[in-house]
Amino acid sequence: AADGPGGRRITRSTCCYCGVGCGVLIHSERIAQGERITGVEGDPEHPANFGRLCSKGRTLADSARSLHGRALWPELRGRRQDARRPVDWALALDTVAERLAGIVERHGPDAVAFYISGQLLTEDYYVFNKLAKGLLGTNNIDTNSRLCMSSAVTGYKLAFGADGPPTCYEDLEHAKTVLFAGSNAAYAHPVLFRRLEEAKARDPDVRWIVVDPRRTDTAAMADLHLAIQPGTDVALFNGMLHHLVWEGLLDEAFIAAYTTGFPELKQLLRDYTPRMSAEICGVPVQDLVAAAEWFGRSPAALSLYCMGLNQSAHGTDKNLALIHLHLATRQLGRSGAGPFSLTGQPNAMGGREVGGMATMLAAHREIGDDAHRAEVEALWKLAPGSLSPRPGLAAVELFEALHSGKVKAVWIACTNPVHSMPDIGRVREALQRAEYVVVQEAFADTDTVPYADALLPASTWGEKDGTVTNSERRISRVRAAVAAPGQARPDWWIAREVARRIEARLAAPGAAPLFEADAPATIFDEHRALTVGRDLDIGGLDYLRLESDGPQQWPFPAAAAQGQARRYADGVFATADGRARFHATPYKPVAEPTSARYPLRLLTGRLRDQWHGMSRTGRVPELFAHSPEPGLRMHPDDAARRGLKIGELVRVSSKRGELVLPLELSDEVGSGTVFAAMHWSGQHLSSGGINEVSQPAVDARSRQPELKHAAVRVEKAGLG
Ligand code: SF4
């Protein structure tokens, strides 16, 4: 931060919205009551955005200034039917620690669960993960990142042997063919999209292929839009690869020397002729062939993919089938080429790095690996055998276990599952049945807060320090520009204070204290010590280095002068034998097919100017100019068939629930398909949002739910 005249200050930080991770300069000033944020501009030196910001980033100051709805002091209630009352921090921390420790003593460590967030900073994530796994001995800690990128994680691990994209943002400027798959980057990653647009404008040879059932704003700009039937991505990619095999467009030498599993895949591909694949996908066969040709003959093909692949009961298969195209043609490990998953949230990557999920340990280690558990136990100075070998409960299972009573208590931090989880009626019931619910939040008006027995007020963007990792593995500092309002405290501090109290009660006599780190910098030092020797080694990166050299990509080992822009350039992968792996991946249909009763396919997605449940963007009036109200988009033919008119209220129902929305007519969706944005929630609607009807089927390997697709019925609401 740099101080200026009149108490004005500029603080270098990172945008808190999407995984692009744009650098920002926060302007603030001292006022009689303390200090306030006066403006935000893009950081011209940050390598993610070079000064650019999108509408959400540009209005950060407006959302940060608003104290409306902020959680300002701790609150507790003794019985579920009582109202919560404000208390001081000491009582709140003592009570939460006592309730959780008591449940662990009575029912064992797996009776407690944590549900945290890709919006938390790496340091927050680290402390929560250590509290759950290191202190309590449960792996029941999952995150809303499960809903956004866990299929990308399993795809990378299965294909390359390690998590994390092999690519970097510079590749956006060097790619000649860009394949967007299930990504509306124009809305969800706007600054990257600007970079791509500029690269395309500079080079007439750059071609874009967009794979998306909807004609999104990204698709509208494509040279080729493949409007596939929802969920048929694997058939498309297999059909493209079949064509590449047939035309001899593979890199046979690379496949032979650096990969395994291709013969089995090739055998499977016989069933995926372009004609048959195009039929499954509902696209013209010549378009499928054109996409394969553009990809296979390109000097540099880059794939950008996101929720459209990941939020699926077959998300891992979709990721693998796309990665196969890159491996078979060696479109990776060099400038402008590679499979590049775009993370939705600002720190989904950082959460993966610290192992803050139910299915992993710190620094990309595996829960089921005895040696990995022993390494973490040694680094955390735990007694051998302290870490649980049992995988924890992933998001959907976690709330299901709360519903069944297997899990008694949940601590929810910085996320709003009563809005974002599939089948939220079930999530509400689970929280009602829970013995104890802790909600740690910056905002007291989310849909989840009413279920809290303890509300712990957290500081938020502009008020807290730490780091985040963006989609290209780049670690950036997040810095506080102003003090948090009221009694709000940093998330890591709240988790650590409760942890210390539980430790005093539960830890074995003579056990080394686990929570001595008392600032973001020292927590980060602990985290990086765990990464040494791992694929994401950041032994050479501390806060001083980030201060002097700016944001850096991992890996960044001790001897490195800088981070690594691209991975696997030498063809050596992170698998045991160093070879990348193909997996014979057949196409499987969506988890919930349409039926006579539920004949329409519901797709969900995002709006350009809103973020998640609108906790922040909902405070900025100008962000409603683009899409002022919720709505259900339907093809005009489908509406005419049902006698529905634009603006009319319609009831959207599935096997799980229903909600009422105004009807919008649009040919961005094909006949038989409807679309609704996921942002609007119970704060804005008489019911909850679109997740009243979404379905909780999960991918068997990534355990990510199929939030993108459900079978629904739409009819006149018939209200009053
Ligand atoms: Fe923030 Fe993402 Fe917009 Fe950048 S692109 S300003 S990170 S919301």
Side-chain angles (χ1 to χ4, degrees), residues 149-169:
M149 55 74 211
S150 49
S151 294
V153 174
T154 49
Y156 282 137
K157 284 167 72 172
L158 287 166
F160 301 145
D163 182 20
T167 41
C168 64
Y169 289 166

Side-chain angles (χ1 to χ4, degrees), residues 456-477:
L456 306 178
S459 48
T460 187
W461 183 85
E463 305 158 3
K464 58 192 285 191
D465 271 294
T467 55
V468 289
T469 308
N470 71 7
S471 290
E472 64 161 353
R473 294 175 278 108
R474 188 176 296 279
I475 298 171
S476 298
R477 285 277 279 116

Side-chain angles (χ1 to χ4, degrees), residues 489-507:
R489 294 285 185 274
D491 290 281
W492 68 264
W493 181 91
I494 301 170
R496 186 201 63 174
E497 288 302 307
V498 173
R500 283 178 169 175
R501 285 161 171 79
I502 296 177
E503 193 175 29
R505 178 161 160 179
L506 295 185

